[in-house]
């Protein structure tokens, strides 16, 4: 079982920056693929950025060049640095961990943190 706790969400003006953090329990954090998703009102949850256990990253087109995902395996933490924020980035941001055990894929989610970008 993996528990994820997000922090760092806030109200920020357009053009500003925020850094989200997600602290994970579990002794094999380094083996997890980690990701950040977001869900705006009336919309489906969508991938924002992901990082594999090997450090390979992937981003949604809408955030490329503005957001950066990183992980610190020594601290069991994944980060999302968000720059040049826009009102359309407003959403609840969720941390996700993926673990494969005995050939089965397990998805774990945090409780979410609100990011609001004012124009």
């Amino acid at each position: 079982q993996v528990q994820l706790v997000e922090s760092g969400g806030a109200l920020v003006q357009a053009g500003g920056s925020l850094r989200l953090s997600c602290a994970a329990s579990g002794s094999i954090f380094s083996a997890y693929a980690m990701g950040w998703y977001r869900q705006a009102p009336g919309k489906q949850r969508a991938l924002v950025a992901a990082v594999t256990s090997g450090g390979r990253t992937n981003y949604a087109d809408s955030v490329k060049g503005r957001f950066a995902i990183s992980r610190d395996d020594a601290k069991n933490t994944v980060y999302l640095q968000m720059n040049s924020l826009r009102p359309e980035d407003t959403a609840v941001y969720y941390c996700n961990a993926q673990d494969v055990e005995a050939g089965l894929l397990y998805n774990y989610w945090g409780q979410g943190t609100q990011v609001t970008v004012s124009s």
Side-chain angles (χ1 to χ4, degrees), residues 14-95:
S17 297
L18 281 176
R19 189 175 81 155
L20 305 183
S21 299
C22 172
S25 66
S27 60
I28 53 172
F29 174 82
S30 61
Y32 305 149
M34 301 297 298
W36 287 96
Y37 289 69
R38 66 186 180 188
Q39 187 167 19
K43 295 188 177 182
Q44 289 188 331
R45 191 175 298 189
L47 176 69
V48 175
V51 58
T52 67
S53 58
R56 188 169 65 249
T57 58
N58 181 45
Y59 296 93
D61 287 343
S62 60
V63 306
K64 284 180 180 177
R66 300 189 297 124
F67 291 10
I69 188 170
S70 61
R71 62 189 300 159
D72 186 336
D73 291 344
K75 296 182 178 179
N76 281 15
T77 301
V78 64
Y79 304 98
L80 184 67
Q81 178 67 43
M82 305 186 294
N83 300 324
S84 302
L85 282 161
R86 304 167 180 170
E88 54 264 38
D89 295 318
T90 295
V92 178
Y93 284 70
Y94 296 91
C95 180

Side-chain angles (χ1 to χ4, degrees), residues 104-115:
L104 297 177
L105 177 65
Y106 294 86
N107 270 293
Y108 302 95
W109 295 94
Q111 81 287 352
T113 186
Q114 177 70 48
V115 172

